[in-house]
Amino acid sequence: MNIDPWRFANIRWLASEWSKQFRQFTTESFGFTRQEIAGIMDEVYARGDRLLTLVLFGNWLLAFGQALMYRTWVVAALGGAAATGVFLAIRALCPRSPWARATAGLSLQAFVVLSIYQLHGLPAAYLYFFVAQMILISYQDALCFWPGATLFMTYLCWFSQSGRQAAPLFLDVPIPAPRLVFGLGITTLAVWLASYWAGLQRRHKLHAKRQAWALAASQMAMSQDMARRQEADETLQQYAADLEAARAEAESAAHAKSQFLANMSHEIRTPMNSIIGMAGLLLDTPLTAEQRDFTDTIRFSAESLLTIINDVLDFSKIEAGQMVIEPVAFDLRELVEEVGAVLAPKAGAKALELVVRLKPAVPRYVVGDPGRIRQVLLNLAGNAIKFTPSGYVLLEVQCPAHNEAECCLRFAVQDTGVGIASDKLQLIFQEFAQADASTSRKFGGTGLGLTISKHLVELMDSTLEVSSEVEIGSRFAFTLRLPTATVERRGDAGRLAGCCVLLVHPEGLARQALGERIESWQARCTYAATGAEGLHALETNRRFHVILVATRLDDMEGLDFGPAAKKMAGGALRVLLTSTADFGPAPPSESGFTRTLLTPVRSSLLKGVLEEGLKRGVQEEGEASSLEKEASAGGEPHPLRILVAEDNTINRRVAVLQLQRLGYHADGVANGREAVQMWERFPYDAILMDCQMPEMDGYAATAVIRERERNGSHIPIIALTANAMKGAAEGCLRAGMDGYISKPVNSNELRETLYQHLTVARQVNSLMGS
């Protein structure tokens, strides 16, 4: 017979795979370790041991019952005692062990053999074998079936016909071979089925335990999670309470800090106003060179201290997040020129040319925060003046793009100063840092100006850019997108058409900026770089309405140009452009000039001069001599009457003296009640009102005056306050005041503010009267 080796190998492989699967089926752990499985099955094994003990004693009693019928008392007693005793002994020595389970199978099969022997081989006796297998299933262990089954099959084979010629003890004839093979097959199948059933029960037990453990673990995890959540909620509530307490404490501390800064600002600025004001007044008196030097030092030191105070206040606002942008409609040209007017004395003291240049395309009225833009420009231009020993400082505004709704404005401050090294460009924006941090540094300061400017520019959604070269100069710039404002404009376009202006100025940049402004008003401008060129232009054309001459020319002094210009064009309005306040609004008569304008010249003043020159036409200077007697920048007739309400005696005296030096008649009172009484008795043109005064403060006094004004009349009330904190200016305007000047009061700022508000008030009152 030929056997195919490949088919035989395939059969062996299948048998091996089935065997592996069966072993895996009966021994699968469901993720439990051996120790965990042993702990789980111990309960099952203990229950099986108890059941088997009862079953064995029951079988022993059954054997004694069969002995009554078949008279097999000895076999029943000895066989039952042996089967039951061996199990009980093994159970006592090795409880819940594989030995106890194997012995249980042997003992059960011993009773099966005993029963077959007692029944003399009746077919009904073989039923006990299957019953025994079913009972062993309670152990849920497939291995406990095989020892007893092996014993039973050995018993059958031993007494088979092939094993012995004589018949078994309890059989009348030997078992035939076919019957023996059939019995062995049935026995093997029964054992396999019982083993499968036991393995299935074991799997169910482990699976149920795994589910129970998983459920318990899930419940435990849920309870732990709930406990953690509860703990987290309690912790969160505690954190929230702590945070609320910390927030309240921080707000209280911030409020206390703000109140402290406000009080300190007020208390420091009040004496600072006296120091700076008195120093300025003292400089206007005849002094020796040494006395003037001492006084200049006092004023410079006081102004430096004031700058430090302002920087610290602004930095504290930025640090506390209280710096906000408040957009309003404002006059951009007026703002930029105001910055130039404030810085002009500093530039003039260093003989620097301060040029303010706004391109014609720049819209005049926009919507933004004028206070913050002014502060940035003052910081940048002030730094440029401080770090520029000679040359010029240019403050320029361009408009690269615009439409009906908004415009793109490019602000730039350029100087010819010492410059900044490339590795120091980022350092200068850090708090309390300067490019030169050595102990021998030449320039002082807190190092906060650029930091504050950078933060302000970023608050306005832009970036402060810087480029610089050592010993060549620096350029700071930033770009803002601002909405254009719709403001009703007077129909004065072309009013200066036909006005002829001669501009004599040596600086090309300043000459070009001033000329662009004049020509934007449709006036004709003739340029001269030297005094000789200017005189030649006068010889060629004597019909100039206005002659603008710089104080210093390349070939002569501006004062030397005046007498010659007076002879050649006596009817023209001759204006001296000076970068310092060495002259009043009307220069000495022997100079040949009828006016002085402080550079950089503000557009409102320049336009007023051009309009006046155009009106004068070609009249002789004698016919307009009364114009030369007018004082103050801007041409206001004097003396105008100003009331000063100030509770501090020294500050009140300073303000009165400053007004008198500007050509005004000034009276002083100590509180708001006296201010109201004086206003009702005398016709004042304006009131300078301190905000904090005894009996009646400035806000209450302003409210009373506004309530009692009759016939639509309106007197300008300008606040004088040492409070530089956020909202101070807005509070003054809400109270009914027209303007705001922060102490210490600068004479130039006072002059410009009075001129602006007096002009507006005069126009309003004239309209109401008409």
Side-chain angles (χ1 to χ4, degrees):
M1 179 179 177
N2 296 327
I3 299 177
D4 187 356
W6 293 103
R7 181 175 297 177
F8 182 72
N10 190 26
I11 293 173
R12 284 196 307 169
W13 179 81
L14 289 175
S16 174
E17 288 297 318
W18 289 345
S19 176
K20 288 180 182 179
Q21 294 178 7
F22 180 78
R23 288 197 302 270
Q24 182 179 3
F25 175 80
T26 57
T27 60
E28 187 174 356
S29 63
F30 290 94
F32 292 112
T33 63
R34 289 177 178 270
Q35 291 78 8
E36 291 174 341
I37 293 176
I40 295 171
M41 298 305 295
D42 272 351
E43 180 184 352
V44 178
Y45 297 154
R47 186 171 63 246
D49 287 347
R50 292 193 297 269
L51 177 63
L52 261 293
T53 300
L54 296 175
V55 170
L56 290 177
F57 276 108
N59 284 336
W60 200 2
L61 290 176
L62 180 62
F64 280 115
Q66 291 175 346
L68 289 174
M69 295 183 293
Y70 296 102
R71 305 295 179 180
T72 54
W73 294 99
V74 176
V75 175
L78 293 178
T84 305
V86 170
F87 173 73
L88 293 177
I90 296 299
R91 179 187 175 190
L93 294 175
C94 304
R96 301 182 300 278
S97 66
W99 294 106
R101 296 192 292 277
T103 304
L106 290 172
S107 297
L108 278 176
Q109 299 306 328
F111 275 110
V112 172
V113 173
L114 178 60
S115 181
I116 294 174
Y117 172 75
Q118 288 180 312
L119 296 176
H120 298 286
L122 290 178
Y126 290 95
L127 178 64
Y128 292 129
F129 171 77
F130 295 100
V131 174
Q133 301 299 325
M134 296 300 105
I135 294 173
L136 287 175
I137 291 175
S138 63
Y139 276 119
Q140 300 179 11
D141 185 2
L143 298 179
C144 68
F145 293 93
W146 293 98
T150 303
L151 175 65
F152 182 75
M153 288 187 291
T154 302
Y155 169 76
L156 291 179
C157 292
W158 180 263
F159 292 106
S160 66
Q161 184 177 7
S162 61
R164 293 182 58 181
Q165 296 299 322
L169 296 177
F170 52 84
L171 295 176
D172 295 334
V173 293
I175 300 175
R179 184 179 174 184
L180 177 63
V181 173
F182 180 76
L184 292 177
I186 291 297
T187 301
T188 303
L189 179 62
V191 171
W192 275 100
L193 291 176
S195 299
Y196 177 80
W197 194 355
L200 186 62
Q201 292 296 319
R202 177 180 179 277
R203 287 173 59 86
H204 287 169
K205 177 69 176 178
L206 293 178
H207 182 63
K209 184 62 69 173
R210 169 55 67 190
Q211 288 183 330
W213 281 24
L215 180 61
S218 176
Q219 292 177 345
M220 182 177 296
M222 289 178 62
S223 62
Q224 291 177 351
D225 185 57
M226 292 178 64
R228 284 195 298 268
R229 288 190 177 186
Q230 184 176 1
E231 182 180 359
D233 290 340
E234 293 175 356
T235 304
L236 186 60
Q237 292 176 0
Q238 184 63 34
Y239 283 164
D242 294 342
L243 184 61
E244 181 65 23
R247 186 184 65 81
E249 184 178 354
E251 288 181 351
S252 177
H255 178 72
K257 178 181 177 182
S258 299
Q259 191 64 35
F260 170 77
L261 289 174
N263 292 337
M264 290 303 298
S265 171
H266 184 273
E267 295 303 322
I268 292 175
R269 285 172 178 271
T270 299
M272 288 292 295
N273 181 62
S274 302
I275 296 172
I276 296 177
M278 283 298 185
L281 294 172
L282 184 60
L283 288 171
D284 292 337
T285 63
L287 298 173
T288 65
E290 186 178 30
Q291 291 171 338
R292 183 170 295 277
D293 180 59
F294 292 163
T295 308
D296 277 332
T297 303
I298 293 173
R299 185 174 65 173
F300 176 77
S301 300
E303 291 176 348
S304 299
L305 179 58
L306 181 63
T307 302
I308 294 173
I309 294 172
N310 291 334
D311 287 347
V312 171
L313 289 176
D314 288 335
F315 183 71
S316 67
K317 293 177 188 177
I318 293 173
E319 196 176 39
Q322 297 178 348
M323 189 76 75
V324 295
I325 300 301
E326 300 176 355
V328 295
F330 67 97
D331 188 333
L332 177 62
R333 180 175 292 276
E334 186 71 20
L335 182 145
V336 176
E337 292 176 352
E338 180 183 341
V339 171
V342 171
L343 296 176
K346 293 183 179 179
K350 298 183 68 173
L352 297 177
E353 187 69 31
L354 178 59
V355 181
V356 175
R357 184 177 186 181
L358 285 87
K359 291 292 187 178
V362 175
R364 181 167 182 175
Y365 298 99
V366 294
V367 177
D369 192 328
R372 301 308 173 202
I373 296 175
R374 181 190 296 109
Q375 186 174 357
V376 173
L377 295 178
L378 282 172
N379 275 336
L380 297 179
N383 276 349
I385 293 172
K386 180 169 70 171
F387 292 101
T388 303
S390 61
Y392 68 87
V393 173
L394 171 64
L395 172 56
E396 185 177 33
V397 183
Q398 300 180 12
C399 184
H402 66 90
N403 53 37
E404 295 181 357
E406 66 175 9
C407 59
C408 177
L409 299 177
R410 179 74 172 175
F411 296 85
V413 176
Q414 182 176 337
D415 62 62
T416 57
V418 296
I420 307 170
S422 58
D423 58 338
K424 304 288 186 180
L425 288 179
Q426 296 305 317
L427 176 66
I428 60 176
F429 294 111
Q430 298 179 9
E431 297 88 348
F432 308 105
Q434 290 190 347
D436 180 11
S438 64
T439 57
S440 60
R441 58 192 175 101
K442 180 179 179 181
F443 304 99
T446 61
L448 288 175
L450 287 177
T451 303
I452 294 171
S453 299
K454 179 176 181 291
H455 281 287
L456 291 178
V457 170
E458 290 174 351
L459 281 175
M460 293 184 285
D461 298 327
S462 185
T463 303
L464 185 57
E465 306 167 9
V466 57
S467 59
S468 181
E469 293 186 34
V470 178
E471 302 301 334
I472 294 179
S474 305
R475 179 182 176 87
F476 290 83
F478 60 95
T479 302
L480 298 180
R481 287 191 173 274
L482 301 178
T484 56
T486 303
V487 178
E488 184 178 354
R489 298 174 175 83
R490 294 179 302 173
D492 57 355
R495 290 179 58 180
L496 294 178
C499 180
C500 297
V501 180
L502 173 61
L503 177 57
V504 185
H505 204 295
E507 298 290 340
L509 189 61
R511 186 174 65 245
Q512 181 182 1
L514 195 57
E516 287 177 353
R517 210 182 318 173
I518 294 172
E519 291 176 349
S520 67
W521 297 326
Q522 300 182 14
R524 295 193 298 272
C525 186
T526 302
Y527 301 92
T530 63
E533 292 181 7
L535 293 175
H536 178 71
L538 288 175
E539 291 177 355
T540 305
N541 180 13
R542 295 173 178 261
R543 299 185 60 82
F544 288 107
H545 299 98
V546 179
I547 302 173
L548 304 176
V549 183
T551 305
R552 295 180 178 84
L553 302 174
D554 292 340
D555 55 348
M556 65 176 68
E557 291 293 326
L559 291 175
D560 297 333
F561 185 89
K566 181 178 180 181
K567 294 179 181 179
M568 301 175 68
L573 189 63
R574 300 173 301 281
V575 181
L576 181 65
L577 304 177
T578 175
S579 59
T580 62
D582 294 337
F583 305 103
S589 58
E590 65 273 11
S591 66
F593 290 96
T594 54
R595 291 288 174 80
T596 60
L597 286 178
L598 187 65
T599 58
V601 183
R602 301 184 68 163
S603 294
S604 57
L605 300 180
L606 180 60
K607 183 178 288 188
V609 168
L610 296 186
E611 289 177 350
E612 183 179 345
L614 185 60
K615 290 178 181 179
R616 289 179 58 153
V618 292
Q619 296 178 0
E620 295 295 329
E621 187 173 353
E623 298 175 0
S625 60
S626 60
L627 294 174
E628 298 184 3
K629 298 178 182 179
E630 296 179 357
S632 170
E636 288 294 337
H638 291 279
L640 296 178
R641 197 162 191 170
I642 310 296
L643 177 62
V644 179
E646 168 67 67
D647 61 320
N648 185 281
T649 305
I650 299 177
N651 283 340
R652 185 167 65 248
R653 184 184 176 194
V654 169
V656 169
L657 291 174
Q658 286 178 328
L659 290 170
Q660 291 175 352
R661 291 295 174 87
L662 293 175
Y664 297 101
H665 176 81
D667 297 323
V669 293
N671 55 61
R673 192 179 306 280
E674 294 178 1
V676 174
Q677 294 173 355
M678 292 291 288
W679 168 76
E680 291 178 333
R681 293 178 58 187
F682 301 102
Y684 289 101
D685 297 285
I687 301 176
L688 299 181
M689 185 79 72
D690 186 22
C691 294
Q692 298 181 9
M693 293 183 291
E695 296 189 28
M696 179 184 289
D697 61 24
Y699 303 111
T702 300
V704 172
I705 293 173
R706 293 299 181 225
E707 184 180 356
R708 298 181 183 178
E709 284 179 331
R710 301 181 182 88
N711 301 325
S713 62
H714 182 87
I715 182 171
I717 301 178
I718 301 168
L720 291 179
T721 178
N723 185 2
M725 297 303 290
K726 176 178 178 288
E730 292 79 1
C732 295
L733 297 178
R734 285 195 300 269
M737 300 181 186
D738 299 276
Y740 171 92
I741 298 178
S742 177
K743 295 178 182 177
V745 180
N746 180 275
S747 295
N748 291 329
E749 183 181 6
L750 178 61
R751 178 178 59 187
E752 296 295 336
T753 304
L754 284 174
Y755 169 73
Q756 177 183 356
H757 290 287
L758 287 172
T759 302
V760 173
R762 180 175 297 176
Q763 294 174 352
V764 171
N765 291 332
S766 63
L767 289 174
M768 295 301 297
S770 61

